[in-house]
Amino acid sequence: MPQVTLDYCTVQAAAANLSTVETEVNDGTLAASNVACTTAEDCLAGANKSYTTPEGLYDLSKDFIFVTYNYRDGIAGIANGPTFTHEGSAANAAVRDTEQAYKWTRKYIIAFGGDPDNIVALAFSAGSSQTLDQITRYGRNAEQLFARAYLTSPGTVPGAGHRQAEAFWQNVSTTVGCSGGSLDCMRAVSYTTLNTAVNDVISLYSYTLQPRVDGDIISDTFITHELHEKNSDVTSGINSTADVADKILMYFPGITDTIVNEILALYPETDYTSPGLRFSEIEQSFELTSHNLALTNGLHNQTWNAMVALGEATHGNDQDYYWYSTYALSGGIQTNPVSVTTARIMQKYLLSFALTGNPNTLWPNDKMEWPLYNTSTNGVGIVFNTSMYLQAGSLANAKSRFWNKALWY
């Protein structure tokens, strides 16, 4: 199998039964600089992603290099708050891991025959959100690390404010015997013990473990005026229109009753089976959908937008299609049932975008034209379904436009 020698190790290609998969627990100890990356802990020899492997994409084209990475999760990757940082650690380590992964790719991809100026980010859920964080990191005062991005279902919204993050850190540290949140003490606790404490605190206080604005790699959020410490409240306990109004005021304490009534009119009570569901859509609008509209507008509407309507269209349903394959060189085959025809069309959109910068350029006779969002006044997007079709953009509706106005009150 071929080898590539970098300035700190030698990378050995791996496939099928020749694959070398790490089985050790990742303890953060880096391999020696002169060791081959096929044999030691924490070498960048490739990640073992059981189902998100590119065999199905390589059936269509082999004109790309596929790079995947891991990032720290849980308390190891998303811990933050005043004591945590004052003790000398860096907040939002998972987002910084993502930054380093893209920097590694820019530095070394040429050794594998790739082009550092033609890196395409492909991500899903929290990975998509962390990729968006790379675009805006350090207040957009840093170089961009990739040429374009194909992002699916961004799944986290950075929290703002530090009181909840501080309470979380103090509660976990007290639980494991590190009162005061000493970083040295916390680092001496086994990860299993830490993780148990984290899960207990999350369950007890309904805390959302997520990246938070740190004024650094995550410099700000759009929602600069909300009552930050209430970001992670659950929507249970909302049983009436009055409860919905009170919840809105909890997020936006500075707005008037007139504005509250305007919001309620945008989400008519008769459209929902319960007040809790009514507020859930309101919250989704100002936390997610309106931000997607702002992002699309921020990119001058030079984007291709899509909505997934495959089956129940639950979070991640589209991933079964993008990673469809009939075989796997390592790990397991994606076994969830999909429409093979639809999967191949979606893979062709993805690969055409990755290889040419336009999802329509390659295989034009195999799929319908996917227009740019700004093709129509209100925006247009494609709907991924067993029968593809176009529809007016769902972002530029009255609800999203209201919140994009409201974000700057």
Side-chain angles (χ1 to χ4, degrees):
M1 300 295 287
Q3 292 183 339
V4 174
T5 300
L6 305 179
D7 57 8
Y8 68 96
C9 75
T10 298
V11 179
Q12 169 73 58
N17 60 341
L18 298 177
S19 176
T20 300
V21 178
E22 287 187 350
T23 57
E24 301 175 50
V25 174
N26 187 322
D27 60 6
T29 302
L30 294 176
S33 60
N34 61 347
V35 73
C37 284
T38 53
T39 60
E41 166 74 5
D42 282 1
C43 275
L44 287 171
N48 180 28
K49 307 292 188 182
S50 296
Y51 296 105
T52 54
T53 54
E55 290 87 354
L57 299 177
Y58 279 128
D59 280 342
L60 298 174
S61 173
K62 294 181 176 61
D63 293 332
F64 65 94
I65 300 168
F66 187 80
V67 179
T68 185
Y69 66 92
N70 292 314
Y71 58 83
R72 285 167 285 183
D73 202 0
I75 194 170
I78 319 178
N80 40 51
T83 296
F84 179 76
T85 52
H86 291 168
E87 284 280 315
S89 193
N92 302 310
V95 181
R96 298 175 191 276
D97 288 344
T98 300
E99 178 187 33
Q100 291 304 313
Y102 283 117
K103 285 184 174 180
W104 184 95
T105 305
R106 281 186 63 85
K107 181 176 181 179
Y108 291 114
I109 198 64
I110 194 169
F112 297 86
D115 180 359
D117 294 322
N118 198 29
I119 294 170
V120 181
L122 168 61
F124 162 68
S125 193
S128 286
S129 296
Q130 291 188 26
T131 301
L132 289 173
D133 288 333
Q134 303 310 312
I135 297 175
T136 60
R137 74 193 199 287
Y138 310 118
R140 297 199 70 180
N141 292 314
E143 66 170 338
Q144 293 302 306
L145 299 175
F146 43 83
R148 51 192 177 276
Y150 196 105
L151 304 178
T152 59
S153 304
T156 59
V157 179
H162 301 295
R163 191 179 71 183
Q164 286 189 337
E166 177 67 12
F168 172 78
W169 180 255
Q170 294 295 340
N171 284 329
V172 172
S173 62
T174 299
T175 300
V176 299
C178 296
S179 296
S182 165
L183 194 60
D184 288 339
C185 179
M186 292 285 277
R187 284 173 171 166
V189 177
S190 74
Y191 187 76
T192 300
T193 301
L194 274 178
N195 201 44
T196 298
V198 166
N199 291 334
D200 289 345
V201 170
I202 289 174
S203 176
L204 183 61
Y205 296 104
S206 299
Y207 179 78
T208 300
L209 190 58
Q210 63 183 8
R212 288 182 175 270
V213 170
D214 58 10
D216 188 24
I217 196 164
I218 302 180
S219 57
D220 202 357
T221 64
F222 291 145
I223 307 178
T224 58
H225 60 289
E226 66 175 297
L227 186 56
H228 293 146
E229 310 310 334
K230 300 297 184 181
N231 277 3
S232 302
D233 276 11
V234 296
T235 56
S236 60
I238 298 179
N239 302 307
S240 66
T241 297
D243 290 341
V244 174
D246 288 344
K247 194 73 170 180
I248 293 170
L249 286 169
M250 186 184 70
Y251 277 87
F252 306 101
I255 62 177
T256 65
D257 289 342
T258 300
I259 297 300
V260 171
N261 290 332
E262 184 179 347
I263 295 169
L264 294 175
L266 284 169
Y267 303 84
E269 182 178 8
T270 54
D271 287 356
Y272 307 94
T273 57
S274 73
L277 286 175
R278 187 183 187 188
F279 180 77
S280 291
E281 185 176 353
I282 294 173
E283 184 177 33
Q284 177 174 280
S285 292
F286 68 70
E287 283 200 337
L288 295 173
T289 313
S290 62
H291 289 73
N292 291 337
L293 176 61
L295 173 65
T296 298
N297 290 340
L299 295 173
H300 307 294
N301 297 319
Q302 296 295 300
T303 61
W304 287 271
N305 292 22
M307 184 179 79
V308 175
L310 298 162
E312 295 181 354
T314 54
H315 188 60
N317 187 270
D318 57 337
Q319 300 304 295
D320 297 341
Y321 290 76
Y322 285 122
W323 304 110
Y324 167 78
S325 180
T326 58
Y327 66 98
L329 295 176
S330 64
I333 298 174
Q334 180 58 263
T335 57
N336 289 346
V338 300
S339 163
V340 175
T341 300
T342 304
R344 286 305 190 196
I345 290 173
M346 291 172 64
Q347 289 177 335
K348 288 175 180 177
Y349 281 128
L350 167 59
L351 274 182
S352 181
F353 176 79
L355 296 173
T356 72
N358 187 316
N360 302 300
T361 303
L362 302 179
W363 305 286
N365 297 325
D366 296 347
K367 51 190 177 18
M368 70 180 300
E369 179 84 5
W370 183 355
L372 278 169
Y373 180 77
N374 66 353
T375 302
S376 69
T377 302
N378 291 322
V380 64
I382 196 170
V383 177
F384 288 147
N385 197 295
T386 50
S387 59
M388 304 286 185
Y389 58 92
L390 302 180
Q391 70 175 18
S394 59
L395 297 182
N397 55 33
K399 297 172 182 176
S400 291
R401 291 190 186 282
F402 170 82
W403 290 112
N404 273 274
K405 174 184 68 174
L407 291 175
W408 306 108
Y409 279 174

